[in-house]
Amino acid sequence: MITELISVGTEILLGNIVNTNSAYLSEKCAQLGLSVYYQTVVGDNEERMKETIRTALGRSDIVILTGGLGPTEDDLTKEVTAQVMGMPLVEDPHSKELLEAYMQQYKDNHSQRRITANNYKQALVPQGALVLDNHNGTAPGLIMEKNGKIAILLPGPPIEMKPMFEEEVFPYLRKKQPEIIYSQMVKICGIGESQVAEEIQDLIEKQENPTIAPYAKTGEVHLRITAKGENEKECRKMIKPVVRELKERFGKNIFATDEKKTLEEAVVDMLKDQGLTLSLAESCTGGAIASRIVSVPGASEVFTHGFVTYSNRAKRKCLGVKKSTLKVFGAVSEKCAKEMAKGGCFAAKTDICLSVTGLAGPDGGTEETPVGTVFMGCCYNDKVITHEFHFTGNRAKIREQAAAHALAMLRECMMEGIVKKS
Amino acid sequence: MITELISVGTEILLGNIVNTNSAYLSEKCAQLGLSVYYQTVVGDNEERMKETIRTALGRSDIVILTGGLGPTEDDLTKEVTAQVMGMPLVEDPHSKELLEAYMQQYKDNHSQRRITANNYKQALVPQGALVLDNHNGTAPGLIMEKNGKIAILLPGPPIEMKPMFEEEVFPYLRKKQPEIIYSQMVKICGIGESQVAEEIQDLIEKQENPTIAPYAKTGEVHLRITAKGENEKECRKMIKPVVRELKERFGKNIFATDEKKTLEEAVVDMLKDQGLTLSLAESCTGGAIASRIVSVPGASEVFTHGFVTYSNRAKRKCLGVKKSTLKVFGAVSEKCAKEMAKGGCFAAKTDICLSVTGLAGPDGGTEETPVGTVFMGCCYNDKVITHEFHFTGNRAKIREQAAAHALAMLRECMMEGIVKKS
């Protein structure tokens, strides 16, 4: 089925935000076997929005709109789509109830926040539409079907849009598809994008069904293998030898073959499996690794302490880094990373401590230690393994890469049995 | 002038890459005072591309296309645009010369690369078009003018597109533009989106020039005021009274009037201004607040220690939280938040310590302490102020809100002089 994406929001047209929703939805549509022919961005303007939605519904079977569902005057997506599809707006008792509960709860905590008349417009829905509850905000999503055309309206913030898509829209769309599309993800860390691309070039060149599509993430490469077939079993059978081949080529660099599994989940799972506890000693990443670990529900079973030792004094007091190390080698040095990891294990009494110290910039670089230099240490059983990295990009990009590679390093240490519960 | 952006590339429609070109070009167009009404993405398909370009040239004065200028069969942007505009392709001696020089250089370094017949198609240009040299690749850019319409064709890779835009297209477009656009941002924290919307509804209703547009972020609302005028000075003059009015209405909830300033930057700036040092004691946010603070270059001047005390033991050992507090009140309690903040100040020897302890879920909620309950403490001078929050949403959303509100709380404490260097 032909699918089209429309993002609504003047902030995208002004370049205030990057349109990541379209990339996310395109990937999901590809996974569902839906052909996306167009992505459009239109502002919060009634006439242009109407024209865009009319054109999209004319040439596509499914139109997925994101944004413009909020409570403000500017938010017109629901109103305009309902008008184009000829579906009048009516009050939805269930949505109203949920909205009131949400607002009441919010009011209890933020005495200054009032329930405004504007909010109530969010309880209006096009007659006959399927309402999708929003567990992360007030604007419900909507699925509208009429004359063989489908319009799906989702909130703009990715944190609200993604769970709604995954929980409600994905299964709905899967049922609409006559052919079965089945895909499996193979997630790789510790190898660069171009090396992965080179190593699978022969597979990609001869591919037909199933297909392999690479997606690069910071510090990770995801390969999606997609098969089309009569049923899931047939698809799985087609995918199996490809996954086997990839496992042969990338071996232990594969950290997940599960769509949803993140690198931090893989790390937490390994820690649990091996009965190990973890602490972190972070400098330039400043808590970013701890935050990724804590994003995993149940991380508390294995993760106990994070030390964000941003000052030299903190490195000395919390982790016992020697004054002479900081003086002679500096905070961004292999020796400092080593002492941080050792000191973290000792202070937190954990089996493992991973340390990161580096220079994220933009200032402070020298010829010897340029911006992007990052040292990591992994301590286990009083032994420390260290790695040196040189990342490129701005401060945010360097910190993001450092956090991703730290998780990959932690995993590698556990894989290789360097760190192993005796 | 009405401007429209078209990105050509099946890889964007498959979600393999995020369309950052459109965000970049939109921001540049806004800066030039060009009104971008649409962004479209279309694949490497002749018919759909023709239709998209025809529609765009019909409704806009300027159409900027990126991608599809390469040497392969798939690359059709130039051919299709030339056809739609009715401009025949002719060989451009200058482009051919540059192409040959580039390919020769490439050949010298990459023995396996051959100059193919395909490559020569890059030396063909629409008759009368302005050719833009590509100093970072082989595909030249093009500016085509006909019947009062302008089509600008740029290569897809950002590393080739951006310098070409800045060096050649930006000055070209500036000359075309009679009017100037100027905008200013007002960023608010501590008030919900709908309350902000209601409080400025009268301003939005009567707006013409300048306009006000609200953007909601987690824990923040951004208002963009945009004016059109003859020159920047005139625009600034129009914007000034609107900003003054907003300052009167939102007062200390405004944390920035600068486009790029983040909440964490505002907090770091206040700490610097008041000569205060900060430590953080995080449980459920797990380093997310520290990570936001560290994202600010130069944060090391004021931020020294972050304690990610995820286990009860860590709360006791690092922060001196009493065993009896954890036993009687639990880790998610006002008393624990208080002791964490106090203990953080003491352990880190900082002027302020902000603590966060809460339940991000998905499990562990009770009737008394449901998922989403978060306590925060701000200790200064041995005194602790605490706040209780009840956030909704999934684990990620709860943690994101907690981090944003912690920064807002820290700022509030400093604003109100509760925390003040004596």
Side-chain angles (χ1 to χ4, degrees), chain B residues 179-314:
Chain B
E179 214 177 23
I180 288 282
I181 269 215
Y182 185 83
S183 75
Q184 187 172 347
M185 197 63 114
V186 171
K187 299 186 178 182
I188 297 167
C189 66
I191 316 180
E193 184 193 2
S194 50
Q195 196 188 333
V196 170
E198 184 149 310
E199 287 192 24
I200 59 168
Q201 196 167 353
D202 59 316
L203 298 178
I204 284 189
E205 270 167 12
K206 70 177 188 202
Q207 73 182 5
E208 267 178 43
N209 185 20
T211 56
I212 307 176
Y215 304 99
K217 317 275 167 189
T218 299
E220 304 176 20
V221 181
H222 298 180
L223 300 175
R224 177 186 293 284
I225 305 106
T226 307
K228 287 188 183 200
E230 269 183 28
N231 53 52
E232 195 177 306
K233 199 178 160 192
E234 192 190 277
C235 292
R236 280 176 186 274
K237 213 173 142 186
M238 285 191 272
I239 285 173
K240 213 174 166 185
V242 181
V243 173
R244 199 186 305 125
E245 182 61 34
L246 292 174
K247 279 186 177 167
E248 216 151 276
R249 295 188 188 196
F250 297 105
K252 67 179 172 56
N253 290 102
I254 295 173
F255 68 86
T257 52
D258 167 354
E259 181 73 38
K260 294 203 170 162
K261 193 169 203 165
T262 61
L263 182 52
E264 44 271 34
E265 275 170 356
V267 167
V268 169
D269 281 357
M270 279 183 87
L271 288 164
K272 280 185 189 172
D273 287 349
Q274 303 194 18
L276 296 164
T277 55
L278 170 73
S279 60
L280 295 165
E282 301 183 59
S283 187
C284 66
T285 45
I289 308 169
S291 188
R292 286 187 64 170
I293 291 283
V294 168
S295 75
V296 182
S300 56
E301 278 180 48
V302 291
F303 175 65
T304 61
H305 293 60
F307 302 95
V308 183
T309 52
Y310 207 52
S311 66
N312 279 351
R313 192 178 165 277

Side-chain angles (χ1 to χ4, degrees), chain A residues 11 39 41 116 136 294 395, chain B residues 39 41 198 215 294 394-395:
Chain A
E11 69 275 26
Q39 295 173 357
V41 180
T116 69
N136 303 293
V294 168
R395 185 176 175 89
Chain B
Q39 293 172 359
V41 180
E198 184 149 310
Y215 304 99
V294 168
N394 60 16
R395 186 175 174 89

Side-chain angles (χ1 to χ4, degrees), chain B residues 15-43:
Chain B
N16 292 6
I17 58 167
V18 176
N19 186 2
T20 55
N21 281 350
S22 288
Y24 168 84
L25 289 171
S26 283
E27 196 181 330
K28 290 290 166 190
C29 286
Q31 202 179 328
L32 283 159
L34 301 169
S35 303
V36 176
Y37 284 169
Y38 302 94
Q39 293 172 359
T40 309
V41 180
V42 66

Side-chain angles (χ1 to χ4, degrees), chain A residues 32 38 87 127 163 235 327 332 375 404:
Chain A
L32 283 159
Y38 301 95
M87 295 165 84
Q127 201 157 30
C235 292
K327 203 175 167 190
V332 182
F375 292 91

